[in-house]
Amino acid sequence: MLTALHIENFALIDHLDLRLEAGLNVLTGETGAGKSIILDAIDAVLGGKATQRLVRSGSQKALVEASFDVPAEVHAWLAEQAFPKADGVLVLRRELTLGKTLRSRSFLNDSPATRPQLEGLRQKLVEITAQGQTVQLGSGDRQREWLDGFGGAPLVAQRQQVALAYETAFQAKKRLEARRKADQQRRDQLDLLHMHRHDLEQAQLDDPLELDNLSQEHDRLNHSVDLQQNSYAAYQILYESDAGENACADLLGKAEAILIDMERYDPAITSILAMVSEALTQVEEAGRAINAYGASIEADPQRLEDVEERMRQLKALGRRFSRTLPELVAYRDEVVATLAELSGDGQSVEALEVEVAAAQAQLEETCGQLTQLRQGVAQQLETRLITELKPLAMDRVQFQVELKPMAPTALGANGIRFLFSPNPGEPLQPLAETASGGEMSRFLLALKACFSQVDPVGTLVFDEIDVGVSGRVAQAIAEKLYQLGRQHQVLCVTHQPLVAALADAHFRVGKQVVEAALAQGAEAGEGERTVVRVLPLSPTERREELAELAGGESHQQSLSFAEALLSQANSIREKR
């Protein structure tokens, strides 16, 4: 149940704190007074679409906060979603901030909430029925949802089984179609892939780095004479010179001898001697190493020719397949795997056809079970809805739920149509083609009444569902809304005094033009501002409001009518 609503800088509302009651809550006021803004705020805090126009002119931020008393089922859902508890109360908050774009943030018990979480929670808390929603009554998809929802848990569970069977059959058909398509292309693919595999395996592509290694070897073989000469020259400089000059090792040996002699007189030389000795050792090792390297270098024209030929082969393959050598190695493995698959590894077409047939049979069986459940639920809905429509001045109405066979889908194998005839002797026709606007409103209200026993939602919101009716019909709608208020909290925007008279809580909505200083969030220097005010009515104020709604030739006559409405409402309450 929605217990409290706090609004700041939302549309024309500068500041509003509204406490709602159990039962039937009614909002009245002149056309354009701002009643729908309250419903827009409720829709927004539950995750509805938000636009910049919802932020009050002159403000940068709008806030809507709604507090709910919720049943154990919702508390269990909160625990599953890891939201904190707040003394048994659920508090939703939506913040809208203007910038370059509209920024929106939602919170549940002060923890950030996502749109999917809000959508899941909304189904458990509030259902908003606007006047324009009567158009939905003609939608076959919507009618199917209503029928299945009326069937409750058994029907919903069977529909889940149908969805699972449909997905299984769909995937089986998809595998079969893919296999058949592969078979159609199989021969051409096999020829091409066999040729690719032959060429790639013939090239013996084992090392992804082979081309880099060959390039290095090619440089070494191509410059073998230079490498020999340079290694010998380096050896002469480092270790042994044929020119009679001192090599690096000779010079370091002389320096070492001098430092050994100096060390006898000054130990400070020891560290320097160690560095020179180490340098001498490294130079001697380097000399011997470069000498060995030079001796190993040999000109090998045949090997050079082989390397060049291999490099040409690998580069040609790369150009042919538009791949680098590492990619060619991977492609060869891919070709081998694809050939194995196309050569018969995996299920055959025949095996897949058997699988598809079994999955389709299972789908048809589950759809048949769903159809049987829907037929039983349809009869119950027909009886119940006609019962609910009779008090709404539609006592001779005919209603039928038509289940038309269709190809199985994830939603079953039935097309659903609500057929309706408001007048005796007239044939049943699709609801959207037959019912007038007033009849649509009454039908929707009766439908909500049918769901009142099975619908877990705590708060039902109706926006002018009684528009276009009067007299006995308006009285019947008023009593139906009152009955719904015994099982749910009902919030209703109405212009009907007959409905307002039965309210458990009555609020007047109106616009006021005030000095800017009296409007919250107003900036200095502003003149007048229009604000929306919502006031709970005392018994005396309520009588005045009902008289205003009823009109009449004189104010006294309107007051007398209002008194009669309130007296009649008390009589209805006592009967209940």
Side-chain angles (χ1 to χ4, degrees):
M1 183 180 83
L2 176 61
T3 59
L5 197 62
H6 173 74
I7 305 173
E8 295 180 10
N9 296 320
F10 186 90
L12 291 178
I13 298 176
D14 59 338
H15 183 273
L16 173 66
D17 283 302
L18 183 64
R19 298 199 66 82
L20 298 170
E21 305 294 336
L24 177 59
N25 295 259
V26 164
L27 299 174
T28 59
E30 295 180 1
T31 299
K35 301 182 293 297
S36 293
I37 296 177
I38 309 299
L39 305 191
D40 289 342
I42 295 174
D43 178 65
V45 80
L46 291 165
K49 183 179 179 181
T51 61
Q52 292 186 356
R53 71 173 183 82
L54 294 181
V55 180
R56 180 172 168 77
S57 175
S59 303
Q60 294 299 312
K61 183 177 180 180
L63 169 70
V64 181
E65 186 174 275
S67 300
F68 294 86
D69 281 338
V70 292
E73 175 195 352
V74 177
H75 285 297
W77 182 88
L78 290 173
E80 291 175 2
Q81 300 291 322
F83 283 108
K85 293 183 179 180
D87 299 327
V89 176
L90 186 154
V91 180
L92 279 173
R93 186 171 80 252
R94 180 90 176 266
E95 297 176 357
L96 305 176
T97 305
L98 285 179
K100 292 183 178 179
T101 59
L102 180 68
R103 183 185 178 193
S104 172
R105 296 192 302 168
S106 294
F107 300 87
L108 200 166
N109 289 348
D110 289 327
S111 294
T114 65
R115 180 179 292 274
Q117 288 173 329
L118 290 177
E119 290 175 352
L121 186 60
R122 181 183 187 130
Q123 297 175 5
K124 304 176 186 298
L125 295 179
V126 176
E127 183 175 339
I128 300 177
T129 302
Q131 178 185 347
Q133 277 188 299
T134 54
V135 176
Q136 295 181 3
L137 286 172
S139 166
D141 291 341
R142 191 67 177 131
Q143 291 172 359
R144 179 174 50 243
E145 293 301 318
W146 276 326
L147 176 66
D148 292 351
F150 186 72
L155 198 149
V156 172
Q158 184 60 33
R159 204 170 92 166
Q160 290 173 345
Q161 291 297 317
V162 168
L164 181 62
Y166 179 82
E167 180 63 19
T168 301
F170 175 79
Q171 293 299 330
K173 290 178 182 178
K174 187 176 179 180
R175 288 191 296 272
L176 176 59
E177 290 171 3
R179 181 67 188 196
R180 284 173 173 168
K181 184 177 180 180
D183 280 355
Q184 291 174 359
Q185 302 171 347
R186 184 171 175 269
R187 181 167 299 175
D188 291 341
Q189 281 186 300
L190 283 173
D191 290 343
L192 179 63
L193 292 175
H194 275 304
M195 182 175 65
H196 284 186
R197 184 177 70 174
H198 175 269
D199 293 345
L200 293 171
E201 289 182 346
Q202 190 76 15
Q204 297 181 347
L205 305 178
D206 298 322
D207 184 3
L209 301 177
E210 182 183 3
L211 192 57
D212 294 336
N213 295 335
L214 287 173
S215 179
Q216 293 175 8
E217 185 179 1
H218 178 269
D219 288 342
R220 186 170 62 253
L221 290 170
N222 203 34
H223 298 85
S224 59
V225 175
D226 293 337
L227 291 172
Q228 285 176 335
Q229 290 175 351
N230 290 335
S231 61
Y232 183 72
Y235 173 72
Q236 291 285 307
I237 293 171
L238 290 172
Y239 197 75
E240 184 177 345
S241 175
D242 293 337
E245 299 176 357
N246 287 326
C248 184
D250 295 333
L251 295 173
L252 285 172
K254 290 179 180 180
E256 182 183 42
I258 293 171
L259 290 171
I260 290 173
D261 186 57
M262 293 172 65
E263 186 185 26
R264 290 185 301 165
Y265 306 107
D266 187 356
I269 298 299
T270 301
S271 60
I272 300 174
L273 174 60
M275 288 188 288
V276 172
S277 297
E278 183 179 354
L280 175 58
T281 300
Q282 291 180 345
V283 166
E284 289 175 340
E285 290 179 357
R288 289 190 289 270
I290 195 64
N291 187 46
Y293 171 78
S296 69
I297 296 296
E298 293 182 3
D300 190 344
Q302 183 58 49
R303 176 57 185 165
L304 177 60
E305 183 178 342
D306 293 342
V307 168
E308 290 177 343
E309 176 59 29
R310 178 62 171 171
M311 290 177 66
R312 283 193 293 270
Q313 180 189 17
L314 295 178
K315 289 179 179 179
L317 278 173
R319 288 192 298 270
R320 176 182 169 189
F321 291 98
S322 299
R323 286 173 169 85
T324 63
L325 181 58
E327 290 172 341
L328 281 173
V329 174
Y331 178 60
R332 180 202 58 198
D333 297 337
E334 180 184 333
V335 166
V336 172
T338 304
L339 281 170
E341 180 180 347
L342 292 177
S343 297
D345 293 341
Q347 288 178 286
S348 65
V349 170
E350 292 74 15
L352 288 171
E353 287 175 340
V354 171
E355 182 180 307
V356 168
Q360 187 66 23
Q362 179 63 28
L363 173 60
E364 291 174 358
E365 181 180 347
T366 54
C367 282
Q369 294 169 353
L370 179 60
T371 297
Q372 290 180 353
L373 286 174
R374 280 175 171 164
Q375 288 170 341
V377 170
Q379 293 177 359
Q380 296 173 24
L381 181 59
E382 290 166 357
T383 302
R384 179 72 181 275
L385 190 60
I386 289 174
T387 301
E388 294 290 345
L389 283 169
K390 284 182 178 179
L392 297 176
M394 299 178 76
D395 50 346
R396 301 188 68 181
V397 68
Q398 298 178 71
F399 170 68
Q400 180 181 330
V401 180
E402 180 185 63
L403 276 67
K404 297 180 64 176
M406 57 180 286
T409 70
L411 299 174
N414 311 113
I416 307 297
R417 284 202 312 174
F418 285 2
L419 302 180
F420 180 75
S421 174
N423 303 306
E426 295 298 320
L428 287 163
Q429 298 288 339
L431 180 65
E433 301 174 8
T434 305
S436 65
E439 289 167 342
M440 280 285 202
S441 295
R442 282 178 280 171
F443 189 94
L444 186 58
L445 181 58
L447 195 63
K448 298 297 181 182
C450 290
F451 279 93
S452 63
Q453 297 294 336
V454 297
D455 195 348
V457 70
T459 301
L460 300 176
V461 179
F462 294 96
D463 184 9
E464 298 188 3
I465 196 167
D466 51 10
V467 68
V469 299
S470 60
R472 187 165 62 93
V473 175
Q475 182 64 43
I477 289 177
E479 293 185 21
K480 186 65 66 178
L481 287 169
Y482 178 77
Q483 292 172 15
L484 282 174
R486 301 315 95 195
Q487 294 150 342
H488 301 264
Q489 181 190 43
V490 176
L491 177 60
C492 181
V493 173
T494 184
H495 290 283
Q496 287 286 351
L498 294 170
V499 173
L502 276 170
D504 296 293
H506 189 168
F507 302 88
R508 179 196 295 137
V509 183
K511 291 179 182 176
Q512 294 181 12
V513 178
V514 300
E515 293 294 331
L518 300 177
Q520 285 204 11
E523 297 182 0
E526 288 186 307
E528 296 179 329
R529 294 299 304 267
T530 299
V531 296
V532 170
R533 296 285 185 252
V534 182
L535 301 174
L537 300 182
S538 66
T540 300
E541 293 169 330
R542 189 176 181 194
R543 186 182 64 170
E544 292 285 343
E545 179 70 5
L546 291 175
E548 189 73 25
L549 290 172
E553 295 181 2
S554 67
H555 184 61
Q556 186 58 47
Q557 185 182 49
S558 298
L559 285 175
S560 298
F561 181 63
E563 290 283 3
L565 289 179
L566 291 171
S567 176
Q568 179 181 342
N570 288 331
S571 299
I572 292 173
R573 289 191 182 93
E574 290 173 359
K575 291 179 182 178
R576 304 297 177 190

